[in-house]
Amino acid sequence: MLKIDKYAAIDIGSNAIRLLIATVLEKEGYETQFKKTSLVRVPIRLGADVFLQENISQENYLRMVDAMHAFRLLMKNHKVVAYRACATSAMREAKNGKQIAKKLLDETEININIIDGNDEAAIIASTDLKDLISDNKVFLYVDVGGGSTELTVFANGKTVVSRSFQLGTVRIINDMVRESIWDEVRDWIKENTAQYEKVDCIGSGGNINSIYRYSGTKVGKPLSYFYMTNFFEKVKSYTYHERIFELQMNPDRADVIIPATRIYLSAMKWAKAKNMFVPKIGLADGIVKSLYNEKKAQELEVQ
């Protein structure tokens, strides 16, 4: 007998807020399947508020209220059995972040967990990467967001080390990143990958997904360092409006794509990686999987 449930994850990032609804399929004797059913993205750029003004503005708070009401209705319509909302860099750095979370709970009944960088990296690392991560390969996982970049080294099929850096696309376009942060990221990557003969990268985040779609690369095949370099030079040669009109990018993607590509390229260079795999998984996927695992653990306790 096939058991079908839906779970949801709300990812409140620095560049956008996302709702992922996933269908989980369970059949005795088979591996559980996770299928993305719906993904809604709202470009509320909280990072622009927080990194410049240190607070979430009233205007963006009201936009968040609308988004959460909409997400709640969508989850109700999909008959979601469990959900979790996690906020990352922007809300955890906002002076009024906790206050905003409480107001949103009162207004929309959606409880927001403000997680730190290590929790974020751990949730991302818990995503199902077994199709890529084998016992005899080494990967540097690079998740680029608006406010931070999470890095994880996988070796021998296991997580070796993770770290979060305040290096994000919204920070960069607002000139909020000191040069020493780049040095810290470079030193960390080199220190934690130098002992391995070969390292490949795994890219996560909306920007690398956008680059992957643009490349036309066959699903499962990686982006090469050569392609990433050429793409970087190409997008830099276009103006913001040309990237929107000629490259068909969304307005809130067309400005952050350049700093994002620079971060991915830099990570590849410092790890001496020739390839970047793009499995299209991230924080929201990790949230869904953790919710499912918690529910299964509770069922075992009851038994």
Side-chain angles (χ1 to χ4, degrees), residues 13-175:
S14 302
N15 192 41
I17 296 175
R18 300 170 187 83
L19 168 68
L20 170 66
I21 296 175
T23 301
V24 180
L25 305 174
E26 290 180 281
K27 189 174 182 181
E28 191 172 346
Y30 292 85
E31 193 170 328
T32 301
Q33 294 181 19
F34 295 80
K35 298 179 67 176
K36 295 182 182 181
T37 302
S38 177
L39 179 64
V40 180
R41 180 178 181 276
V42 184
I44 303 174
R45 191 166 280 181
L46 298 180
D49 279 349
V50 178
F51 306 144
L52 293 172
Q53 309 296 331
E54 299 185 336
N55 283 286
I56 294 169
S57 66
Q58 178 68 8
E59 178 187 355
N60 273 342
Y61 162 70
L62 293 174
R63 294 179 71 196
M64 290 178 78
V65 169
D66 288 341
M68 294 303 143
H69 278 309
F71 288 177
R72 176 164 282 286
L73 287 172
L74 285 168
M75 290 190 291
K76 180 181 178 182
N77 242 289
H78 277 275
K79 297 182 179 178
V80 165
V81 297
Y83 81 91
R84 180 168 293 144
C86 289
T88 56
S89 185
M91 278 195 75
R92 69 175 171 249
E93 291 183 37
K95 288 182 177 178
N96 63 345
K98 290 181 180 178
Q99 178 188 350
I100 291 290
K102 186 179 183 306
K103 286 173 69 177
L104 285 167
L105 176 60
D106 293 341
E107 185 75 26
T108 69
E109 297 183 359
I110 288 182
N111 184 40
I112 296 171
N113 302 279
I114 301 176
I115 59 175
D116 65 24
N118 292 328
D119 288 338
E120 185 176 354
I123 292 170
I124 292 167
S126 74
T127 51
D128 197 354
L129 292 169
K130 64 180 178 300
D131 291 340
L132 274 178
I133 299 170
S134 56
D135 289 344
N136 60 349
K137 290 186 178 181
V138 179
F139 291 97
L140 173 65
Y141 191 103
V142 187
D143 181 73
V144 176
S148 62
T149 292
E150 274 61 53
L151 300 172
T152 303
V153 176
F154 292 100
N156 301 317
K158 297 178 181 177
T159 301
V160 177
V161 62
S162 292
R163 186 165 166 191
S164 176
F165 291 89
Q166 288 188 328
L167 179 67
T169 56
V170 178
R171 285 188 201 274
I172 293 172
I173 63 173
N174 285 290
D175 198 26

Side-chain angles (χ1 to χ4, degrees), residues 160-213:
V160 177
V161 62
S162 292
R163 186 165 166 191
S164 176
F165 291 89
Q166 288 188 328
L167 179 67
T169 56
V170 178
R171 285 188 201 274
I172 293 172
I173 63 173
N174 285 290
D175 198 26
M176 300 291 291
V177 174
R178 63 183 191 278
E179 197 60 35
S180 62
I181 287 286
W182 288 98
D183 296 337
E184 289 174 26
V185 174
R186 178 198 63 206
D187 293 347
W188 188 92
I189 291 174
K190 287 187 173 183
E191 179 184 339
N192 289 285
T193 59
Q195 73 234 55
Y196 304 109
E197 188 175 329
K198 183 187 177 185
V199 178
D200 284 322
C201 283
I202 299 173
S204 175
N207 287 291
I208 196 68
N209 291 341
S210 178
I211 295 168
Y212 196 78
R213 283 193 300 272

Side-chain angles (χ1 to χ4, degrees), residues 270-293:
W270 296 329
K272 296 181 180 178
K274 294 181 180 178
N275 293 307
M276 170 85 68
F277 291 87
V278 187
K280 295 187 178 179
I281 55 177
L283 181 65
D285 302 88
I287 293 170
V288 166
K289 190 168 186 189
S290 64
L291 279 171
Y292 170 77
N293 289 336

Side-chain angles (χ1 to χ4, degrees), residues 211-226:
I211 295 168
Y212 196 78
R213 283 193 300 272
Y214 182 82
S215 73
T217 303
K218 187 178 177 182
V219 174
K221 298 295 182 182
L223 297 173
S224 68
Y225 183 81
F226 178 74

